[in-house]
Amino acid sequence: MTQIHVGPPPPRSHARLWISTLLLILYSAFVLLVTMWPQPEQLEFDSIAGRVLRALHNLGVPERFGYNELEFVANIGMFVPLGFLLGLALARKAWWLAIFLLPAFSGAIEFTQGIALDERVSTVLDVLSNTVGGYLGLLLAMILRAMIHARDRTMIERELWERRAAAAELQRQNAARAAARSSQPAYVRAEEPDPVTRVLDADFWETGDAPTVRIPV
């Protein structure tokens, strides 16, 4: 069998890492701006919350769903993108770091609010809601990465199946030609190349010699 030259592995794509890390930095800066603004009344949270509550009550949400409940839900929602982006930015084997980074980030925010910002209220409930939101985003990121990984494995397996099927077809064709030439003298027989080597050769698929193999559905 002819020796197959494998060559160096193809370079890895770092697009996911760079894009997710950039978005993570930008969104983290946004979260810090919102939570560390020394005068929260300038951000008009109360007026925005009042309009949101009126809209929710008009849509049928019970009146007992008030400002505290809305703040709890908003804290969850604010950390969902943070957990999602962190789950995409971390390496596949280091995703578990987000389990500690998310509550630590929220705890650092609440601690800073409690000791440095007089007009801010620091509570453990905020840390809990932020952590829940971060974990939800992390779960979504892990599901997305698992789906992409499964899709890539399926595409690779189908490509390998095509090449194995093509190699089997070449072996059958070579066997048929060898049987037809068995009665010819030895000096006119041409040595057939190894079919597996031909299939693995990148140029082989551009010559038009590759057999057509239909993938079963």
Side-chain angles (χ1 to χ4, degrees), residues 57-72:
H57 294 159
N58 292 334
L59 292 174
V61 177
E63 293 289 337
R64 62 177 177 271
F65 186 88
Y67 180 83
N68 292 332
E69 289 76 14
L70 179 63
E71 183 183 13
F72 184 82

Side-chain angles (χ1 to χ4, degrees), residues 4 17 19 122 198:
I4 300 174
L17 175 62
I19 294 176
S122 177
R198 293 184 63 194

Side-chain angles (χ1 to χ4, degrees), residues 36 103-117 121-123 127:
M36 294 298 180
F105 183 62
S106 176
I109 291 176
E110 295 299 319
F111 179 77
T112 305
Q113 286 180 344
I115 64 173
L117 302 176
V121 178
S122 177
T123 64
V127 177

Side-chain angles (χ1 to χ4, degrees), residues 86-158:
L86 184 60
L88 293 182
L90 289 174
R92 182 169 58 90
K93 295 182 179 180
W95 66 269
W96 55 270
L97 291 174
I99 298 177
F100 304 98
L101 292 176
L102 290 169
F105 183 62
S106 176
I109 291 176
E110 295 299 319
F111 179 77
T112 305
Q113 286 180 344
I115 64 173
L117 302 176
D118 295 334
E119 298 189 19
R120 290 283 187 172
V121 178
S122 177
T123 64
V124 178
L125 188 62
D126 289 345
V127 177
L128 175 62
S129 58
N130 291 339
T131 303
V132 171
Y135 285 170
L136 289 176
L138 177 63
L139 178 61
L140 293 176
M142 293 299 100
I143 293 175
L144 178 62
R145 294 183 67 168
M147 292 173 59
I148 295 175
H149 180 69
R151 182 208 61 182
D152 292 343
R153 288 185 60 89
T154 300
M155 293 177 63
I156 292 173
E157 290 174 357
R158 289 172 69 91

